[in-house]
Amino acid sequence: MSPILIWAGAAALAIGIVPAARLLLSTVTVRGGSMTPTLLHGDVLLVLRHRRRARPGRIVVVQRPDPRTGWNGPAAPSGAAGWYVKRVVAAAGDPVPPWVAGDRPGRVPPGMLVLRGDHPRSEDSKQWGLCPADRMYGVVLLRLRTGGERATA
């Protein structure tokens, strides 16, 4: 195979990968201290926009619950309500922890998540109950840059 064909193929592949990566990957900047000490105010995170990888221990970005209806109201896919960065504590089929607000079935139903911030004063499933998985924007892959600012939850 000629070097020109190899370079042309590599260029075509790169041209196709960039738009695909932009659809699947995003950056999010942490605002607040609900995930302190793991994440700090100002940290920049690389997020995989994918709902199926939400399992216990993973940090996810979810739509902020509505102050009146919590996560029971309609979803706002545009993110107009804002975003939360939280840790998944339990996913479908896992036992529901006793500290979860609202109706607590014995196990997390399909399509639901239990979320918790790492900071004790974090707003999460302690106040809002089970979070529908369709409110999830994506899973945090890594911290790209440390903000380093301390903030209160």
Side-chain angles (χ1 to χ4, degrees), residues 81-92:
W83 302 103
Y84 270 170
V85 178
K86 303 294 175 191
R87 187 177 303 280
V88 176
V89 175

Side-chain angles (χ1 to χ4, degrees), residues 19-76:
R22 292 188 68 169
L23 290 174
L24 293 174
L25 299 173
S26 182
T27 59
V28 172
T29 302
V30 175
R31 302 281 181 230
S34 71
M35 286 299 292
T36 303
T38 306
L39 300 173
L40 302 175
H41 181 79
D43 285 357
V44 178
L45 310 174
L46 181 64
V47 177
L48 174 63
R49 296 171 62 178
H50 198 288
R51 293 185 180 134
R52 289 179 280 181
R53 296 186 187 265
R55 48 185 176 257
R58 294 255 174 127
I59 297 174
V60 297
V61 178
V62 298
Q63 186 179 79
R64 180 183 301 271
D66 180 272
R68 291 172 287 126
T69 60
W71 281 307
N72 296 323

